[in-house]
Amino acid sequence: MSGRGLSDRALVWGMASTQLIGWGTLFTPFPLMVAPMEAELGWSRVLINAAYTCGLLASGLAAAPAGRWFDRHGPHGMMTAGTIAAAALLVAWSLVAHPVVFFAIWIGIGVAQAIGLWGIAMAVVVAEARDATRTITIISFVTGLTGTVFLPFSEWLIHALGWRGALQALAALQGASAVITVLMLRHARRPAPGLAAAATRIPLRTRLRQPAFAGLALCFAAHAFIATGLGAHLIPLLRERGWPEATVLLLAAAHGPAQVVARGLLFAAGRAATMRSVGLLASGLVPVGMLALAVAPSSLALTIAFVLCWAVADGLMTIVRAAGTAEILGREGYGAVTGALSAIAMLPRTAAPLLLALLWDGLGGYAAVPWLLTAVGGLALLGFAMAARPR
């Protein structure tokens, strides 16, 4: 690499702030925008959510090319373009009046995510940080607060400015994030010609045949299926069990704090915890938690056990996806590898909410859903065990 390079402190503050703002402006406010957009524009909820799904698909499709670009050229132009485009797309969203334009905006947001948010940001950290695992863990502390900060903030903006004005305010905040990105990347190293060539030494099709890559792909795809499925259905699933609304909301809200505690323990463990051991713990907790959700629907104690197991697993897996991939597969061609892993997880991530809804509708309730998630969690554990096996 050529150039001075970024310190771990600069990476923590720069990436934590830009990722917090990026996710908080682009994705966190979306559920709050649906109702006022329905009321003003007369669009159906299905149409609005279909555009959002197209954005997720575009992000998955763009992930692998973005990773290859990073390996060859570094993050400079790409991340800057992504953050600037994100601000412009938020302004365009605030002015939208036609469904076709709305779909195009969300496809653009998906591409902006792929070139400017988590995957590429973590590739920068892996390339620059002296202690990548520790740096990623600290960044994840901050980004774990995205919903806590931006949900109430966005709701306040909508009440104060309307949904269009709120999006314009969020666009201004994203513009500030773009400035931070430009200033931060001035000091990032650029791939030396020899290292850029080395990024292509192992073709991606060769990676796809490696057992460790296949194991990580299976694990991360299964985890993505569970995460998006529960994100869409956890609250109605818990409501179906007949508990008071306050209990349901408390159980759902416990996910974030438990994630933060898990990451804090990992930070305290330092170098004593390898990503292989952390990944095995996290992936092992997934089927345990889903089984606790499945076996006794009326048991509050087992449901609390599910919440804790899933939150700890989810919190740790965020770090494992970034640092664990580097530990298991190496740093050579890291951008292309992580991009391919994201692309493989795209279909499970986007299909899960619809598939669980169809299961609920076809069987007249959520009784079968936890059992399906238990089986998928078992696949996550199997996949990571394949990847972590010494070779």
Side-chain angles (χ1 to χ4, degrees):
M1 303 288 281
S2 61
R4 188 169 76 188
L6 289 162
S7 68
D8 286 10
R9 178 175 295 182
L11 283 168
V12 165
W13 290 111
M15 289 302 181
S17 58
T18 57
Q19 297 305 296
L20 178 74
I21 294 171
W23 290 102
T25 57
L26 292 174
F27 291 92
T28 302
F30 177 81
L32 302 176
M33 300 291 173
V34 173
M37 288 181 68
E38 283 180 316
E40 179 181 329
L41 299 171
W43 297 350
S44 71
R45 186 160 301 193
V46 171
L47 183 148
I48 295 171
N49 280 277
Y52 178 82
T53 300
C54 284
L56 296 179
L57 290 170
S59 174
L61 290 171
R68 288 195 295 270
W69 176 275
F70 173 86
D71 290 333
R72 289 172 172 82
H73 306 289
H76 300 76
M78 181 168 58
M79 281 196 77
T80 301
T83 53
I84 294 172
L89 287 162
L90 284 168
V91 173
W93 183 2
S94 76
L95 302 173
V96 74
H98 194 282
V100 173
V101 176
F102 187 57
F103 273 77
I105 288 167
W106 267 101
I107 290 170
I109 288 175
V111 174
Q113 177 198 353
I115 66 177
L117 286 181
W118 189 257
I120 294 300
M122 292 305 98
V124 175
V125 173
V126 167
E128 297 273 344
R130 284 67 177 168
D131 188 340
T133 301
R134 195 172 182 84
T135 303
I136 291 167
T137 303
I138 299 172
I139 293 170
S140 71
F141 281 140
V142 179
T143 56
L145 300 173
T146 303
T148 306
V149 172
F150 274 90
L151 277 173
F153 178 59
S154 300
E155 188 170 15
W156 177 80
L157 285 175
I158 292 169
H159 284 300
L161 305 173
W163 69 272
R164 294 184 186 273
L167 285 169
Q168 290 165 7
L170 293 171
L173 193 56
Q174 177 58 33
S177 176
V179 172
I180 296 171
T181 300
V182 171
L183 294 175
M184 175 179 60
L185 293 181
R186 287 171 58 196
H187 302 296
R189 290 172 288 184
R190 297 178 183 273
L195 291 178
T200 61
R201 192 174 296 147
I202 303 178
L204 194 54
R205 61 180 177 274
T206 302
R207 290 282 195 188
L208 294 173
R209 293 194 292 268
Q210 292 177 338
F213 181 94
L216 288 179
L218 176 61
C219 176
F220 297 161
H223 183 267
F225 180 93
I226 295 172
T228 56
L230 285 177
H233 292 277
L234 179 60
I235 288 178
L237 185 153
L238 295 176
R239 283 173 176 158
E240 192 175 87
R241 298 187 169 190
W243 291 322
E245 185 69 5
T247 301
V248 168
L249 295 178
L250 185 61
L251 288 168
H255 186 85
Q259 277 188 315
V260 172
V261 170
R263 291 166 182 168
L265 293 174
L266 177 59
F267 182 81
R271 291 185 176 86
T274 68
M275 284 295 99
R276 281 180 166 84
S277 61
V278 173
L280 285 170
L281 171 64
S283 58
L285 285 173
V286 175
V288 171
M290 300 306 135
L291 187 62
L293 184 67
V295 293
S298 61
S299 171
L300 184 58
L302 282 177
T303 304
I304 292 171
F306 147 74
V307 168
L308 294 176
C309 286
W310 170 239
V312 170
D314 196 28
L316 294 178
M317 196 59 73
T318 300
I319 299 165
V320 170
R321 275 198 303 270
T325 299
E327 181 178 302
I328 292 170
L329 296 176
R331 299 191 180 197
E332 184 176 308
Y334 179 86
V337 168
T338 54
L341 289 170
S342 295
I344 290 168
M346 172 189 63
L347 185 58
R349 178 183 294 115
T350 53
L354 176 60
L355 182 59
L356 296 191
L358 292 173
L359 194 61
W360 170 82
D361 185 57
L363 299 178
Y366 282 107
V369 166
W371 292 105
L372 173 62
L373 298 181
T374 301
V376 176
L379 292 176
L381 174 57
L382 174 64
F384 198 86
M386 288 170 51
R389 191 169 55 198
R391 288 174 175 81

